[in-house]
Amino acid sequence: MTIDFNKMGGLVPAIIQDANTMNVLMLGYMNEEAYQNTMETGHVTFWSRTRQTLWTKGETSGHYLNLVSMQVDCDNDTLLVKVHPVGPTCHKGTDTCWGETNEASPLLFLAELQDFINLRKQKMPEGSYTTSLFNKGINKIAQKVGEEALETVIEATNGTSENLICEASDLIYHLIVMLAEKGLRIENIATELRHRHNPEWDKKRREAKANGTMK
């Protein structure tokens, strides 16, 4: 990785991002020494422009920024630093320097669940329910998705909101298992839905239907 420390008088901006939540936590500056110290210790270190000295985030508070990865931008003069923060990042006690709460969107867990299910498919550990589904094959998995869909509909029409959430969760889980069996991911569905959200999609769909070319 080549970093141009000379362009701005020896300093480069370092955007700090939580590797899990993907939220931006703060902005600091690094010189070459701060960069080297970060890489060697695994704790993000900056150059203080006010005190004119190195400072490792958390060295007095214990609220370290544990390094996960570091990337440089296309101009080689700005860093994107992904971290696992220990405690609040801001010196004022907030999670971020913008006063925001550093919480992950629950939707991000769907990708994490997909990764977990894919790992089950790869390793097939004994005693795992997910493994048992993969062992039964696509027909049984698809049947299970149908069963869970029916139970979800029943709860939606005649059940409680609490039970509906439980049944819908079972449905989504088994759907991801089916996608994994077919070599697909939940993100493929999200991409398709985003594509359909474009007003042009429905226009082209109607045109294809009118022309008899709709698949």
Side-chain angles (χ1 to χ4, degrees), residues 106-118 168-169 171-194:
L107 291 176
L108 290 177
F109 178 71
L110 292 179
E112 184 180 338
L113 178 60
Q114 175 90 64
D115 291 339
F116 176 83
I117 289 172
N118 285 358
S169 297
L171 173 59
I172 294 298
Y173 162 77
H174 287 90
L175 175 62
I176 295 177
V177 171
M178 185 171 68
L179 291 172
E181 178 67 12
K182 300 295 290 185
L184 299 170
R185 290 185 60 90
I186 192 70
E187 290 92 338
N188 295 122
I189 295 176
T191 298
E192 175 65 16
L193 291 173
R194 182 171 59 185

Side-chain angles (χ1 to χ4, degrees), residues 27-94:
L27 172 69
Y29 290 85
M30 290 186 185
N31 60 9
E32 192 165 3
E33 187 178 1
Y35 165 75
Q36 292 295 343
N37 191 76
T38 298
M39 298 302 292
E40 291 171 5
T41 66
H43 294 151
V44 177
T45 301
F46 302 99
W47 174 260
S48 172
R49 293 171 297 164
T50 55
R51 292 182 285 133
Q52 291 293 295
T53 186
L54 289 178
W55 65 282
T56 298
K57 182 73 180 71
E59 59 189 357
T60 56
S61 65
H63 298 155
Y64 291 101
L65 298 173
N66 294 322
L67 179 66
V68 174
S69 66
M70 195 180 302
Q71 299 167 257
V72 67
D73 75 340
C74 56
D75 292 322
N76 298 325
D77 61 6
T78 301
L79 295 172
L80 176 61
V81 185
K82 294 184 179 181
V83 303
H84 288 151
V86 179
T89 296
C90 184
H91 68 284
K92 292 185 176 180
T94 55

Side-chain angles (χ1 to χ4, degrees), residues 5 30 45 48 52 57 61 68 76 79 87 98 121 130 136 146 148 153 155 158 168 179 193 197 211 214:
F5 288 103
M30 290 186 185
T45 301
S48 172
Q52 291 293 295
K57 182 73 180 71
S61 65
V68 174
N76 298 325
L79 295 172
W98 291 270
K121 187 174 188 294
T130 307
K136 292 175 181 176
E148 297 298 344
V153 170
E155 284 299 331
N158 294 297
L179 291 172
L193 291 173
H197 189 61
N211 297 329
M214 183 175 175

Side-chain angles (χ1 to χ4, degrees), residues 93-176:
T94 55
D95 288 348
T96 79
C97 287
W98 291 270
E100 299 172 329
T101 300
N102 183 28
E103 294 180 348
S105 167
L107 291 176
L108 290 177
F109 178 71
L110 292 179
E112 184 180 338
L113 178 60
Q114 175 90 64
D115 291 339
F116 176 83
I117 289 172
N118 285 358
L119 190 62
R120 281 286 196 261
K121 187 174 188 294
Q122 177 185 343
K123 297 189 175 182
M124 299 292 281
E126 293 185 8
S128 164
Y129 174 68
T130 307
T131 297
S132 71
L133 289 173
F134 286 128
N135 282 330
K136 292 175 181 176
I138 186 60
N139 289 343
K140 288 295 185 180
I141 294 172
Q143 179 182 337
K144 189 64 178 175
V145 171
E147 292 172 359
E148 297 298 344
L150 178 59
E151 291 176 6
T152 300
V153 170
I154 291 173
E155 284 299 331
T157 54
N158 294 297
T160 65
S161 295
E162 183 179 0
N163 286 340
L164 173 59
I165 290 174
C166 290
E167 294 299 341
S169 297
D170 288 342
L171 173 59
I172 294 298
Y173 162 77
H174 287 90
L175 175 62
I176 295 177

